[in-house]
Amino acid sequence: MCRVLLALLLVTGIAGPLGGQAAESREARLARLRARYAELQARAERQDSLAALRLLVRLDTLRAAGLTVLTDSAQAPVLGSALAAFEQQARAQLGALPLDLLRDARVIVRFGNAGPGWTRLITEDAQFLQIRGAVRGDDLARQLRHSLAVVLAARGGTALQQWAGADLRIFADPAILLEATYIELTTSPARPARACLGGDVPACAVALDLAPLTDPRGWYEPGSARAVVQRALRLQTNDPAVAPRYRACVEDADLTACQSLLQSFPVPRLSTRAAVTVLQRAAAMGGNQAYERFFADSTPPIRARLERAAGVPLDSLLGEWRAAVMAARPEPTRVPRRSQWTAVLWAAVFAVAAAGSTRWR
Amino acid sequence: MSHAIETTDLHYRAGKSFEIRDLGLRVPAGAIYGFLGPNGSGKTTTIRLLLGLLRPLGGTIAVLGHTMPREQHTVFRRVAYVPERPHLYASLTVRDAMALHAAFHPRWESAIAQDLSRAFELDADARVERLSKGEMGKLLMLLALAQRPDLLMLDEPTDGLDPVVRRDVLMALIDYVSETGATVFISSHLVHELERICDWVGVMDRGRLVAELPMHSFKNGIKRLRVRNAPVQPGDAPFQLLAREVGDGLAGTEVWVVRGWLPTMHQYFEGVGATLHEVVDLDLEEGFVELLRTARAARR
Amino acid sequence: MFAQIFRMQGRASALGVTLAAVAGFMVPIMAVQRAGFVNPSGWDIAEMLTMVESAGSLFPLLAIVLGLLLAVAAWSPDHRGQHVYALTLPIPRWHYVVLRFAAGTVLLIPVIAAVWVGGLVATDAATIPEGLRVYPGTIALRFGLAALVAYAAVFALAAGTKRTAAIIFGTLVGIILVQALLELAAIRVDVLRYTLLPLTDWPGPFEMLFGRWMLINV
């Protein structure tokens, strides 16, 4: 009797949660199985294509910075030094690489004109580099860095691609990106961006689409809303779907009309370029394994991943980021001294030419 | 005698048809040198060559002892030029033109300029482009004289001017020359005008210097002779036979134009069995015409 | 001598210089007003800066026109008189040319000053949003140098003979024709890049005339 009761208890104890979990895990398991099937099928297709190509061309497989690089054997020696430079640069800029994420990531490098065997290797998951003409090591290294970034973006989750762009310019010079971000911040008509410029760090999170907009006044000041609508829709004043609201917004300063038009506009967040500068700042703050931590798990929201990468709360990260952006303010517009002297010199040259002109008429 | 202007074998060509060749001018210092020639003979071109406004192909030019065109700006401190076509800046007023000229010429005499301006009755506020031909002629002469030059180069300065203006201009010129002893090089095709003021004459024709001699020799030396039974060949005549043609009137009569005639030379005709009927003085203009005719005939 | 030449040239170009000065004064004011920096109702700063940049393209145009005007005013009296008066002055030709050039250069000053004052007035009256700066002095300096180079280039051209001008223009036209012919023949050689474009980049003579003329910028 006790054994039966125990067995009953066991069964209900296990079956209950299992039954409850079953409904949930069935969906998840189904999704996982489907994804796994697609992955295996793609791998099989690739294997087939690779096998087919290997019949036509001798392929060499090289590895660098977590990527698998395929090229025809005759060109492998050419790639060697470029791959070494690429690996060194990648590790220098990214620190520890998220190798798990990069597993099976392939870059196919073809020199000259691609044949049909090669083009079959191009899949969503593989990067294809076509090199024509003379090979330049630094150019190849740059293309490989780009490929690595694209792979990281593709595998880093849809949210990352939407936030920081499918090309994920993490290898771009931070100074250049920060300067462009400064200009963007300064010229943005959106309320959060202007507040961020003024020092409101939580507003920076909203401007960067890392936090939702809670300000009931919306994305724009009334005047800016009008100005944005006027600029964007001034050529559509004949469109009957737009015209009445346009007139109400621009001519009558009807904010409701402006906001209804603006609803169809993309959210005026800062660009993917600005987002990359945040990721670069987080990596700088988080040390050698920052990127590895960031890419370790793509399911949490971006803000959480950034905090994990940087090792500090988001507000601290954004405070540092804002300071870096303000420090990247472009130099005041000047006429360079060399240009001044050159202009004066040329004027003198022309004057001398005139003085030496012939007197015979 | 020193020369204010001296050229040697001056050579210049303009286009295919016009050429100045082997020009050897000698303008004595202190002379009023009349530069005669028909239209298109090269007078203006010669003056422009002398002033360094045209580049010669060969030969040498010396003006007031300076080589032209190399020392042009040095020469122009002492030379005044009145061109055939007015060269002043059209938008200036008379006053401005005088001020501009004064700024560049170190010897400029303001008092003389003012006197001449009053004498010529020029309106100081009139714009140069609005001046009449006569007023322009007077202004150009004023600028030249107030500059106090040692040499005046005048290219047809009275051309197109009425007699009153012409007289005023020439009088001012003569006053200046008699006061300073400056050299004047004046070109004109108005022969009778030059006859009154020049003491030297040079004659240009088709790019060649046909004659260059003192005015009195030019005027006195050329005569028209009416000769009967003239010899076929003049032989050893003491004068220069410039031209001969059949005369009208008595049969067997010829008209001779001669140069270098003296009254005692009638004996020559007696010696050759001819009869000299008449000796006619030629004025400068007739002499000039005969000279040109002779020169052209010789070239043919 | 210089005083007389300057007076003469100044009178000849008085109207043009006055008009250019008025234009130079008004362009910055107009640029700032049109862009909406005066009495702004809202900030669309990117658009406003685009309008400032677009109005700024009037500055190099004004510099070229001014340079052309002054150079022509310097030489047209001599051209009309076949240079006879100038060549019969008791100074070397190079001295005369320098006097002419200097007179024209001085006549640039009122227009440059007008651009500078116009920029100061325009930016003073404007509400400049945070993050932006104003550059009236830079614009005036750049305008001055651009006008100087434009004036000097046209001055040198006008000082030459017709033959010289014809050679220069002929060369420019020839380069453009060669480029057109190469493109027609589908030959990919960028002749302009190697001949004319270096003139517009440092250290070329016309660098000042190109680029963005931003009275207000980040």
Side-chain angles (χ1 to χ4, degrees), chain A residues 237-262:
Chain A
T237 53
N238 292 332
D239 182 350
V242 167
R245 287 179 292 164
Y246 179 89
R247 273 196 294 277
C249 169
V250 172
E251 291 168 24
D252 304 331
D254 180 350
L255 186 60
T256 314
C258 297
Q259 284 172 343
S260 86
L261 285 168
L262 287 169

PDB file of all heavy atoms in Angstrom, chain A residues 237-262:
ATOM      1  N   THR A 237       1.620  67.154 -50.707  1.00  0.00           N
ATOM      2  CA  THR A 237       0.469  67.971 -50.302  1.00  0.00           C
ATOM      3  C   THR A 237      -0.738  67.743 -51.199  1.00  0.00           C
ATOM      4  O   THR A 237      -1.842  68.182 -50.886  1.00  0.00           O
ATOM      5  CB  THR A 237       0.844  69.460 -50.294  1.00  0.00           C
ATOM      6  OG1 THR A 237       1.408  69.782 -51.575  1.00  0.00           O
ATOM      7  CG2 THR A 237       1.853  69.755 -49.210  1.00  0.00           C
ATOM      8  N   ASN A 238      -0.534  67.061 -52.323  1.00  0.00           N
ATOM      9  CA  ASN A 238      -1.673  66.753 -53.189  1.00  0.00           C
ATOM     10  C   ASN A 238      -2.306  65.408 -52.855  1.00  0.00           C
ATOM     11  O   ASN A 238      -3.341  65.053 -53.409  1.00  0.00           O
ATOM     12  CB  ASN A 238      -1.242  66.750 -54.656  1.00  0.00           C
ATOM     13  CG  ASN A 238      -0.885  68.149 -55.113  1.00  0.00           C
ATOM     14  OD1 ASN A 238      -1.427  69.124 -54.580  1.00  0.00           O
ATOM     15  ND2 ASN A 238       0.033  68.259 -56.059  1.00  0.00           N
ATOM     16  N   ASP A 239      -1.668  64.662 -51.967  1.00  0.00           N
ATOM     17  CA  ASP A 239      -2.191  63.341 -51.609  1.00  0.00           C
ATOM     18  C   ASP A 239      -3.390  63.541 -50.681  1.00  0.00           C
ATOM     19  O   ASP A 239      -3.246  64.094 -49.578  1.00  0.00           O
ATOM     20  CB  ASP A 239      -1.077  62.547 -50.914  1.00  0.00           C
ATOM     21  CG  ASP A 239      -1.503  61.146 -50.533  1.00  0.00           C
ATOM     22  OD1 ASP A 239      -2.719  60.841 -50.631  1.00  0.00           O
ATOM     23  OD2 ASP A 239      -0.639  60.361 -50.149  1.00  0.00           O
ATOM     24  N   PRO A 240      -4.588  63.074 -51.069  1.00  0.00           N
ATOM     25  CA  PRO A 240      -5.783  63.324 -50.253  1.00  0.00           C
ATOM     26  C   PRO A 240      -5.720  62.674 -48.878  1.00  0.00           C
ATOM     27  O   PRO A 240      -6.355  63.143 -47.937  1.00  0.00           O
ATOM     28  CB  PRO A 240      -6.943  62.737 -51.080  1.00  0.00           C
ATOM     29  CG  PRO A 240      -6.315  61.926 -52.146  1.00  0.00           C
ATOM     30  CD  PRO A 240      -4.912  62.356 -52.312  1.00  0.00           C
ATOM     31  N   ALA A 241      -4.896  61.621 -48.770  1.00  0.00           N
ATOM     32  CA  ALA A 241      -4.783  60.979 -47.454  1.00  0.00           C
ATOM     33  C   ALA A 241      -3.955  61.816 -46.499  1.00  0.00           C
ATOM     34  O   ALA A 241      -4.049  61.662 -45.282  1.00  0.00           O
ATOM     35  CB  ALA A 241      -4.163  59.599 -47.615  1.00  0.00           C
ATOM     36  N   VAL A 242      -3.164  62.687 -47.063  1.00  0.00           N
ATOM     37  CA  VAL A 242      -2.205  63.442 -46.241  1.00  0.00           C
ATOM     38  C   VAL A 242      -2.586  64.917 -46.134  1.00  0.00           C
ATOM     39  O   VAL A 242      -2.428  65.526 -45.073  1.00  0.00           O
ATOM     40  CB  VAL A 242      -0.787  63.310 -46.862  1.00  0.00           C
ATOM     41  CG1 VAL A 242       0.189  64.313 -46.271  1.00  0.00           C
ATOM     42  CG2 VAL A 242      -0.260  61.884 -46.699  1.00  0.00           C
ATOM     43  N   ALA A 243      -3.104  65.450 -47.227  1.00  0.00           N
ATOM     44  CA  ALA A 243      -3.240  66.909 -47.347  1.00  0.00           C
ATOM     45  C   ALA A 243      -3.977  67.593 -46.194  1.00  0.00           C
ATOM     46  O   ALA A 243      -3.469  68.582 -45.651  1.00  0.00           O
ATOM     47  CB  ALA A 243      -3.887  67.251 -48.680  1.00  0.00           C
ATOM     48  N   PRO A 244      -5.152  67.095 -45.793  1.00  0.00           N
ATOM     49  CA  PRO A 244      -5.868  67.826 -44.732  1.00  0.00           C
ATOM     50  C   PRO A 244      -5.081  67.888 -43.429  1.00  0.00           C
ATOM     51  O   PRO A 244      -4.996  68.946 -42.791  1.00  0.00           O
ATOM     52  CB  PRO A 244      -7.168  67.019 -44.548  1.00  0.00           C
ATOM     53  CG  PRO A 244      -7.297  66.200 -45.784  1.00  0.00           C
ATOM     54  CD  PRO A 244      -5.921  65.922 -46.252  1.00  0.00           C
ATOM     55  N   ARG A 245      -4.510  66.750 -43.060  1.00  0.00           N
ATOM     56  CA  ARG A 245      -3.746  66.744 -41.809  1.00  0.00           C
ATOM     57  C   ARG A 245      -2.472  67.573 -41.927  1.00  0.00           C
ATOM     58  O   ARG A 245      -2.044  68.243 -40.979  1.00  0.00           O
ATOM     59  CB  ARG A 245      -3.417  65.309 -41.405  1.00  0.00           C
ATOM     60  CG  ARG A 245      -4.620  64.521 -40.879  1.00  0.00           C
ATOM     61  CD  ARG A 245      -4.238  63.109 -40.517  1.00  0.00           C
ATOM     62  NE  ARG A 245      -3.884  62.332 -41.703  1.00  0.00           N
ATOM     63  CZ  ARG A 245      -3.230  61.167 -41.664  1.00  0.00           C
ATOM     64  NH1 ARG A 245      -2.835  60.655 -40.508  1.00  0.00           N
ATOM     65  NH2 ARG A 245      -2.955  60.510 -42.768  1.00  0.00           N
ATOM     66  N   TYR A 246      -1.865  67.538 -43.138  1.00  0.00           N
ATOM     67  CA  TYR A 246      -0.652  68.339 -43.374  1.00  0.00           C
ATOM     68  C   TYR A 246      -0.957  69.824 -43.172  1.00  0.00           C
ATOM     69  O   TYR A 246      -0.240  70.529 -42.474  1.00  0.00           O
ATOM     70  CB  TYR A 246      -0.130  68.071 -44.787  1.00  0.00           C
ATOM     71  CG  TYR A 246       1.108  68.872 -45.150  1.00  0.00           C
ATOM     72  CD1 TYR A 246       2.389  68.387 -44.879  1.00  0.00           C
ATOM     73  CD2 TYR A 246       0.997  70.137 -45.761  1.00  0.00           C
ATOM     74  CE1 TYR A 246       3.508  69.118 -45.197  1.00  0.00           C
ATOM     75  CE2 TYR A 246       2.134  70.867 -46.074  1.00  0.00           C
ATOM     76  CZ  TYR A 246       3.371  70.353 -45.801  1.00  0.00           C
ATOM     77  OH  TYR A 246       4.489  71.090 -46.114  1.00  0.00           O
ATOM     78  N   ARG A 247      -2.033  70.253 -43.788  1.00  0.00           N
ATOM     79  CA  ARG A 247      -2.402  71.673 -43.667  1.00  0.00           C
ATOM     80  C   ARG A 247      -2.701  72.026 -42.217  1.00  0.00           C
ATOM     81  O   ARG A 247      -2.276  73.055 -41.700  1.00  0.00           O
ATOM     82  CB  ARG A 247      -3.614  71.990 -44.552  1.00  0.00           C
ATOM     83  CG  ARG A 247      -3.217  72.360 -45.984  1.00  0.00           C
ATOM     84  CD  ARG A 247      -4.379  73.039 -46.692  1.00  0.00           C
ATOM     85  NE  ARG A 247      -5.485  72.100 -46.877  1.00  0.00           N
ATOM     86  CZ  ARG A 247      -5.560  71.230 -47.890  1.00  0.00           C
ATOM     87  NH1 ARG A 247      -4.622  71.163 -48.803  1.00  0.00           N
ATOM     88  NH2 ARG A 247      -6.603  70.404 -47.976  1.00  0.00           N
ATOM     89  N   ALA A 248      -3.435  71.140 -41.553  1.00  0.00           N
ATOM     90  CA  ALA A 248      -3.772  71.396 -40.152  1.00  0.00           C
ATOM     91  C   ALA A 248      -2.510  71.487 -39.306  1.00  0.00           C
ATOM     92  O   ALA A 248      -2.393  72.340 -38.415  1.00  0.00           O
ATOM     93  CB  ALA A 248      -4.686  70.291 -39.627  1.00  0.00           C
ATOM     94  N   CYS A 249      -1.562  70.621 -39.595  1.00  0.00           N
ATOM     95  CA  CYS A 249      -0.329  70.585 -38.798  1.00  0.00           C
ATOM     96  C   CYS A 249       0.525  71.808 -39.070  1.00  0.00           C
ATOM     97  O   CYS A 249       0.926  72.517 -38.161  1.00  0.00           O
ATOM     98  CB  CYS A 249       0.447  69.301 -39.134  1.00  0.00           C
ATOM     99  SG  CYS A 249       2.132  69.261 -38.482  1.00  0.00           S
ATOM    100  N   VAL A 250       0.806  72.041 -40.380  1.00  0.00           N
ATOM    101  CA  VAL A 250       1.793  73.060 -40.747  1.00  0.00           C
ATOM    102  C   VAL A 250       1.208  74.467 -40.661  1.00  0.00           C
ATOM    103  O   VAL A 250       1.840  75.384 -40.156  1.00  0.00           O
ATOM    104  CB  VAL A 250       2.343  72.778 -42.167  1.00  0.00           C
ATOM    105  CG1 VAL A 250       3.205  73.923 -42.655  1.00  0.00           C
ATOM    106  CG2 VAL A 250       3.148  71.473 -42.165  1.00  0.00           C
ATOM    107  N   GLU A 251      -0.017  74.614 -41.170  1.00  0.00           N
ATOM    108  CA  GLU A 251      -0.565  75.980 -41.227  1.00  0.00           C
ATOM    109  C   GLU A 251      -1.292  76.363 -39.954  1.00  0.00           C
ATOM    110  O   GLU A 251      -1.222  77.507 -39.516  1.00  0.00           O
ATOM    111  CB  GLU A 251      -1.512  76.094 -42.429  1.00  0.00           C
ATOM    112  CG  GLU A 251      -0.743  76.022 -43.765  1.00  0.00           C
ATOM    113  CD  GLU A 251      -1.679  75.841 -44.963  1.00  0.00           C
ATOM    114  OE1 GLU A 251      -2.867  76.216 -44.845  1.00  0.00           O
ATOM    115  OE2 GLU A 251      -1.221  75.326 -45.989  1.00  0.00           O
ATOM    116  N   ASP A 252      -2.017  75.398 -39.375  1.00  0.00           N
ATOM    117  CA  ASP A 252      -2.803  75.728 -38.183  1.00  0.00           C
ATOM    118  C   ASP A 252      -2.126  75.311 -36.872  1.00  0.00           C
ATOM    119  O   ASP A 252      -2.715  75.472 -35.801  1.00  0.00           O
ATOM    120  CB  ASP A 252      -4.187  75.067 -38.271  1.00  0.00           C
ATOM    121  CG  ASP A 252      -4.911  75.469 -39.556  1.00  0.00           C
ATOM    122  OD1 ASP A 252      -4.641  76.589 -40.038  1.00  0.00           O
ATOM    123  OD2 ASP A 252      -5.713  74.669 -40.070  1.00  0.00           O
ATOM    124  N   ALA A 253      -0.929  74.751 -36.986  1.00  0.00           N
ATOM    125  CA  ALA A 253      -0.164  74.309 -35.802  1.00  0.00           C
ATOM    126  C   ALA A 253      -0.975  73.356 -34.920  1.00  0.00           C
ATOM    127  O   ALA A 253      -0.914  73.415 -33.694  1.00  0.00           O
ATOM    128  CB  ALA A 253       0.298  75.517 -34.984  1.00  0.00           C
ATOM    129  N   ASP A 254      -1.735  72.464 -35.583  1.00  0.00           N
ATOM    130  CA  ASP A 254      -2.548  71.484 -34.850  1.00  0.00           C
ATOM    131  C   ASP A 254      -1.648  70.304 -34.500  1.00  0.00           C
ATOM    132  O   ASP A 254      -1.317  69.476 -35.358  1.00  0.00           O
ATOM    133  CB  ASP A 254      -3.723  71.052 -35.737  1.00  0.00           C
ATOM    134  CG  ASP A 254      -4.623  70.039 -35.049  1.00  0.00           C
ATOM    135  OD1 ASP A 254      -4.252  69.527 -33.964  1.00  0.00           O
ATOM    136  OD2 ASP A 254      -5.706  69.762 -35.587  1.00  0.00           O
ATOM    137  N   LEU A 255      -1.276  70.200 -33.244  1.00  0.00           N
ATOM    138  CA  LEU A 255      -0.319  69.179 -32.820  1.00  0.00           C
ATOM    139  C   LEU A 255      -0.873  67.779 -33.001  1.00  0.00           C
ATOM    140  O   LEU A 255      -0.135  66.849 -33.360  1.00  0.00           O
ATOM    141  CB  LEU A 255       0.067  69.432 -31.345  1.00  0.00           C
ATOM    142  CG  LEU A 255       1.168  68.527 -30.796  1.00  0.00           C
ATOM    143  CD1 LEU A 255       2.454  68.711 -31.594  1.00  0.00           C
ATOM    144  CD2 LEU A 255       1.413  68.834 -29.323  1.00  0.00           C
ATOM    145  N   THR A 256      -2.173  67.616 -32.808  1.00  0.00           N
ATOM    146  CA  THR A 256      -2.771  66.288 -32.974  1.00  0.00           C
ATOM    147  C   THR A 256      -2.604  65.803 -34.413  1.00  0.00           C
ATOM    148  O   THR A 256      -2.277  64.640 -34.668  1.00  0.00           O
ATOM    149  CB  THR A 256      -4.272  66.328 -32.609  1.00  0.00           C
ATOM    150  OG1 THR A 256      -4.433  67.044 -31.399  1.00  0.00           O
ATOM    151  CG2 THR A 256      -4.837  64.919 -32.468  1.00  0.00           C
ATOM    152  N   ALA A 257      -2.848  66.731 -35.331  1.00  0.00           N
ATOM    153  CA  ALA A 257      -2.674  66.377 -36.748  1.00  0.00           C
ATOM    154  C   ALA A 257      -1.225  65.991 -37.025  1.00  0.00           C
ATOM    155  O   ALA A 257      -0.948  65.012 -37.722  1.00  0.00           O
ATOM    156  CB  ALA A 257      -3.104  67.557 -37.613  1.00  0.00           C
ATOM    157  N   CYS A 258      -0.288  66.776 -36.453  1.00  0.00           N
ATOM    158  CA  CYS A 258       1.134  66.466 -36.654  1.00  0.00           C
ATOM    159  C   CYS A 258       1.443  65.077 -36.117  1.00  0.00           C
ATOM    160  O   CYS A 258       2.092  64.269 -36.795  1.00  0.00           O
ATOM    161  CB  CYS A 258       2.012  67.494 -35.915  1.00  0.00           C
ATOM    162  SG  CYS A 258       1.841  69.175 -36.499  1.00  0.00           S
ATOM    163  N   GLN A 259       0.960  64.791 -34.906  1.00  0.00           N
ATOM    164  CA  GLN A 259       1.304  63.512 -34.290  1.00  0.00           C
ATOM    165  C   GLN A 259       0.685  62.350 -35.046  1.00  0.00           C
ATOM    166  O   GLN A 259       1.296  61.285 -35.158  1.00  0.00           O
ATOM    167  CB  GLN A 259       0.867  63.504 -32.816  1.00  0.00           C
ATOM    168  CG  GLN A 259       1.814  64.324 -31.947  1.00  0.00           C
ATOM    169  CD  GLN A 259       1.306  64.501 -30.526  1.00  0.00           C
ATOM    170  OE1 GLN A 259       0.126  64.293 -30.230  1.00  0.00           O
ATOM    171  NE2 GLN A 259       2.205  64.888 -29.631  1.00  0.00           N
ATOM    172  N   SER A 260      -0.499  62.571 -35.624  1.00  0.00           N
ATOM    173  CA  SER A 260      -1.108  61.458 -36.370  1.00  0.00           C
ATOM    174  C   SER A 260      -0.315  61.161 -37.624  1.00  0.00           C
ATOM    175  O   SER A 260      -0.179  60.014 -38.038  1.00  0.00           O
ATOM    176  CB  SER A 260      -2.575  61.766 -36.674  1.00  0.00           C
ATOM    177  OG  SER A 260      -2.685  62.499 -37.860  1.00  0.00           O
ATOM    178  N   LEU A 261       0.250  62.204 -38.221  1.00  0.00           N
ATOM    179  CA  LEU A 261       1.110  61.981 -39.399  1.00  0.00           C
ATOM    180  C   LEU A 261       2.417  61.319 -38.983  1.00  0.00           C
ATOM    181  O   LEU A 261       2.916  60.430 -39.669  1.00  0.00           O
ATOM    182  CB  LEU A 261       1.388  63.313 -40.102  1.00  0.00           C
ATOM    183  CG  LEU A 261       0.237  63.904 -40.928  1.00  0.00           C
ATOM    184  CD1 LEU A 261       0.559  65.335 -41.314  1.00  0.00           C
ATOM    185  CD2 LEU A 261      -0.028  63.053 -42.161  1.00  0.00           C
ATOM    186  N   LEU A 262       2.947  61.740 -37.844  1.00  0.00           N
ATOM    187  CA  LEU A 262       4.234  61.229 -37.406  1.00  0.00           C
ATOM    188  C   LEU A 262       4.174  59.763 -36.987  1.00  0.00           C
ATOM    189  O   LEU A 262       5.197  59.081 -36.935  1.00  0.00           O
ATOM    190  CB  LEU A 262       4.770  62.082 -36.239  1.00  0.00           C
ATOM    191  CG  LEU A 262       5.270  63.470 -36.632  1.00  0.00           C
ATOM    192  CD1 LEU A 262       5.512  64.334 -35.395  1.00  0.00           C
ATOM    193  CD2 LEU A 262       6.554  63.378 -37.444  1.00  0.00           C
TER     194      LEU A 262
END
